[in-house]
Amino acid sequence: MPTDFLTQMVEQYGYLALFFSLWLGIVGMPIPDEMIVMSAGALTAQGWLEPLPAFVAVYLGVVSGLSLGYVLGYRVGAPILQWVVRKCNGRRYLAKAERLMERYGSWALCLSYFFPVVRHLVPYLVGIQRMPLRRYAMYSLPTGFVWTFNYFWAGRLFGRHLDAIAQGVQTYGRITLAALLCIGAAYWLIRQRRWAVSVETEATTGGNESGGNHCTGRG
């Protein structure tokens, strides 16, 4: 069970165990990132860890691990990506990452978080394409926070049932992504509606003022 393994690691290395288990990414421990973050949340619910430092450790582990891929892609280029793909037998994941990049551009950084392995490959691709660091951080860091918080909190709530939900962890990620997209779409529609109402109001007000000035001038 991931929680048992992580508990042993935490007993020996403390919060650093959480950080490095995620920082090593797909070339590290053969445990999905989702399960590590949820296990960390479960350990806080069971009193093994304090919630805030545990969350900080897993968040920094996630985003720094992915950022390392970006830096390596930027500095070393395609050879390092090919090595990683061979290491994790990830040809099909690389193809999916490339399709995300072709279709969504920079937004692929956000979307890739919700697809195992793919989230580790997209930073290499954007690094190879020389995406500016500021732009990378703008897309990756906030999404990483939302993603980490989502799984960490799920671990706190359902930590006693991690074995039962382990098989459905990818489905949970897709449901979360769909929910976030719906929230984003609703927010965009509301803003568009408010903007349209504002423009209509300004146009009406401007028309009334113009008419009033015209009447005054004739008088």
Side-chain angles (χ1 to χ4, degrees), residues 44-124:
T44 65
Q46 296 167 15
W48 282 87
L49 300 169
E50 291 295 324
L52 182 58
F55 176 80
V56 171
V58 292
Y59 171 65
L60 292 180
V62 168
V63 296
S64 63
L66 298 181
S67 298
L68 176 63
Y70 164 80
V71 171
L72 290 174
Y74 196 98
R75 296 294 184 185
V76 181
I80 189 64
L81 174 59
Q82 295 303 320
W83 179 84
V84 171
V85 169
R86 289 195 301 270
K87 179 77 174 178
C88 67
N89 193 25
R91 289 289 177 186
R92 64 190 180 97
Y93 297 109
L94 177 59
K96 189 169 187 177
E98 290 173 337
R99 288 197 298 271
L100 278 178
M101 289 291 298
E102 290 173 2
R103 186 168 184 179
Y104 300 106
S106 299
W107 287 103
L109 275 169
C110 302
L111 297 174
S112 67
Y113 266 93
F114 299 91
F115 298 97
V117 182
V118 175
R119 80 175 65 94
H120 292 278
L121 300 181
V122 169
Y124 285 94

Side-chain angles (χ1 to χ4, degrees), residues 139-153:
Y139 282 95
S140 184
L141 300 188
T143 308
F145 183 90
V146 173
W147 183 88
T148 305
F149 183 83
N150 175 53
Y151 282 99
F152 187 85
W153 192 253

Side-chain angles (χ1 to χ4, degrees), residues 28-45:
M29 294 190 301
I31 302 175
D33 294 346
E34 294 88 347
M35 293 306 300
I36 295 175
V37 176
M38 291 179 74
S39 297
L43 290 175
T44 65

